[in-house]
């Protein structure tokens, strides 16, 4: 049997499946390790100029060459997988630069910038399982990579991803959950678009217990009487987005009613109405795109 670098040279990396979902990447790595396979976690730890992916983007690479995840727009992933195989073969973590400042002049990033990847040989699955378990319970969580010890540890969630002394820290948030209320064609169209975007979607859930900080509450009733209890429940909770259907005139009636019920203007201001980012969306599909895009924009700002 070939050992070390000679073994890695015989393996051609191949994408197992296409995803940029961090949970899917960590699960792929955890399942490989649990099955007795060596696996490397590749993390984007520095951006010079522009980049296709955010800081903290990740790939997981198994010893058989199968990998998933993205750290760029697809232009360096195969090369990064080769580097990960070399890391697994030699057993020592490494950092690799591509684009600006890189010795690999034949690998050019279309954005014109440069990136640095940290390649870590997973030595224990516990930090990955801790993150996956926390996210399954809809709790924010973090990972901390220590360069001096080449170790990965679970950590409290931090809103900032980046270096802190010799540690690279990144946070993970639960999948955005959309609670969509309404019996209209607009509600079904919005649910379809949100599901296609990868969100967790619940249509007219019977209780309000699903509302948390990673939830968007979308009210698409044409009857304000039906929406009022749900709207108050959303204001009492802390979802990152509350949106309600209706014109400016309809919303003013909504505001007046909430004031009568004792809600302060600062609370009422959390409601996005008219809902969405496109003005005067008249058909269900356009409204659905408008609403989901608005949710995505607010989520990106609060993540």
């Amino acid at each position: 049997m070939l050992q070390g670098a000679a073994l890695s040279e015989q393996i051609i990396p191949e994408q197992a499946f296409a995803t940029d979902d961090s949970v899917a990447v960590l699960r792929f790595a955890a399942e490989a390790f649990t099955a007795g396979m060596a696996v490397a976690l590749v993390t984007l730890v520095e951006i010079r100029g522009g980049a296709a992916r955010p800081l903290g983007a990740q790939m997981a690479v198994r010893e058989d060459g199968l990998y998933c995840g993205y750290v760029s727009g697809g232009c360096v992933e195969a090369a990064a997988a080769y580097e990960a195989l070399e890391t697994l073969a030699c057993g020592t973590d490494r950092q690799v630069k591509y684009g600006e400042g890189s010795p690999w002049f034949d690998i050019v990033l279309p954005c014109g910038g440069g990136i640095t990847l940290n390649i870590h040989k997973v030595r224990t699955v516990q930090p990955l399982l801790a993150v996956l378990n926390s996210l399954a319970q809809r709790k924010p969580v973090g990972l901390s990579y220590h360069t001096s010890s080449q170790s990965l540890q679970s950590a409290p969630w931090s809103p900032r991803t980046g270096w802190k002394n010799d540690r690279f820290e990144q946070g993970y948030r639960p999948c955005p959950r959309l609670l969509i209320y309404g019996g209209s064609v607009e509600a079904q169209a919005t649910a379809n678009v949100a599901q296609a975007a990868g969100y967790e979607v619940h249509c007219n859930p019977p209780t309000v217990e699903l509302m948390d900080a990673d939830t968007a509450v979308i009210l698409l009733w044409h009857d304000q009487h039906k929406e009022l209890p749900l709207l108050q429940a959303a204001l009492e909770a802390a979802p990152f987005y509350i949106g309600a259907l209706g014109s400016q005139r309809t919303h003013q009636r909504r505001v007046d009613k909430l004031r009568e019920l004792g809600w302060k203007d600062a609370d009422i201001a959390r409601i996005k109405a008219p809902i969405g980012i496109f003005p005067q969306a008249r058909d269900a599909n356009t409204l659905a795109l408008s609403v989901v895009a608005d949710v995505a924009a607010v989520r990106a700002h609060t993540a």
Side-chain angles (χ1 to χ4, degrees):
M1 179 180 293
L2 293 172
Q3 298 293 329
L7 176 61
S8 67
E9 291 171 1
Q10 308 302 311
I11 302 173
I12 299 177
E14 181 181 352
Q15 188 179 57
F17 54 92
T19 183
D20 62 358
D21 178 18
S22 58
V23 174
V25 173
L26 294 182
R27 185 178 296 116
F28 181 81
E31 290 175 350
F33 190 93
T34 302
M37 302 184 71
V39 61
L41 198 60
V42 182
T43 305
L44 174 57
V45 297
E46 182 189 23
I47 296 173
R48 300 178 298 280
R53 303 286 167 181
L55 207 62
Q58 291 180 310
M59 294 172 56
V61 185
R62 300 190 329 197
E63 64 178 10
D64 61 358
L66 286 182
Y67 68 89
C68 69
Y70 288 90
V71 290
S72 186
C75 49
V76 306
E77 277 67 17
Y82 270 111
E83 291 286 347
L85 291 174
E86 290 291 331
T87 299
L88 293 177
C90 72
T92 303
D93 293 0
R94 63 180 65 184
Q95 289 193 3
V96 182
K97 293 184 177 182
Y98 293 111
E100 180 184 296
S102 170
W104 311 114
F105 63 88
D106 56 333
I107 301 178
V108 179
L109 302 183
C111 59
I115 60 175
T116 300
L117 306 178
N118 185 77
I119 305 178
H120 167 64
K121 180 177 181 179
V122 177
R123 296 172 177 85
T124 172
V125 75
Q126 294 308 316
L128 305 185
L129 294 180
V131 170
L132 292 172
N133 289 338
S134 291
L135 294 177
Q137 298 173 39
R138 296 193 63 78
K139 297 177 181 178
V141 66
L143 275 179
S144 179
Y145 176 78
H146 298 246
T147 56
S148 57
S149 60
Q150 297 188 5
S151 64
L152 199 62
Q153 298 177 356
S154 61
W157 178 77
S158 172
R160 180 184 176 276
T161 291
W163 288 100
K164 187 175 182 180
N165 299 321
D166 70 336
R167 302 193 310 272
F168 185 82
E169 300 180 345
Q170 63 191 110
Y172 299 84
R173 294 275 297 276
C175 175
R177 171 186 285 163
L178 271 64
L179 305 184
I180 302 174
Y181 296 92
S184 61
V185 64
E186 292 91 349
Q188 186 56 57
T190 302
N192 292 341
V193 172
Q195 287 171 339
Y199 294 148
E200 178 186 327
V201 178
H202 299 264
C203 294
N204 297 309
T207 69
V208 298
E209 295 176 356
L210 293 175
M211 294 183 189
D212 60 24
D214 294 285
T215 297
V217 178
I218 299 170
L219 303 173
L220 299 177
W221 292 108
H222 289 281
D223 184 342
Q224 282 191 314
H225 177 72
K226 291 182 179 180
E227 77 168 24
L228 191 58
L230 297 167
L231 190 55
Q232 293 192 88
L235 290 173
E236 289 176 354
F240 73 89
Y241 182 94
I242 304 173
L245 188 67
S247 65
Q248 292 284 2
R249 183 180 301 175
T250 298
H251 184 56
Q252 186 57 54
R253 290 197 297 268
R254 180 185 292 124
V255 169
D256 293 342
K257 183 60 178 178
L258 289 170
R259 284 173 176 162
E260 289 177 15
L261 293 171
W263 289 97
K264 297 179 180 179
D265 287 348
D267 295 318
I268 298 172
R270 294 169 54 201
I271 303 169
K272 178 62 180 294
I275 195 170
I277 61 172
F278 306 153
Q280 298 180 337
R282 299 297 187 186
D283 65 276
N285 289 329
T286 301
L287 177 66
L289 288 171
S290 177
V291 170
V292 175
D294 200 22
V295 169
V298 174
R299 171 71 172 186
H301 181 71
T302 60

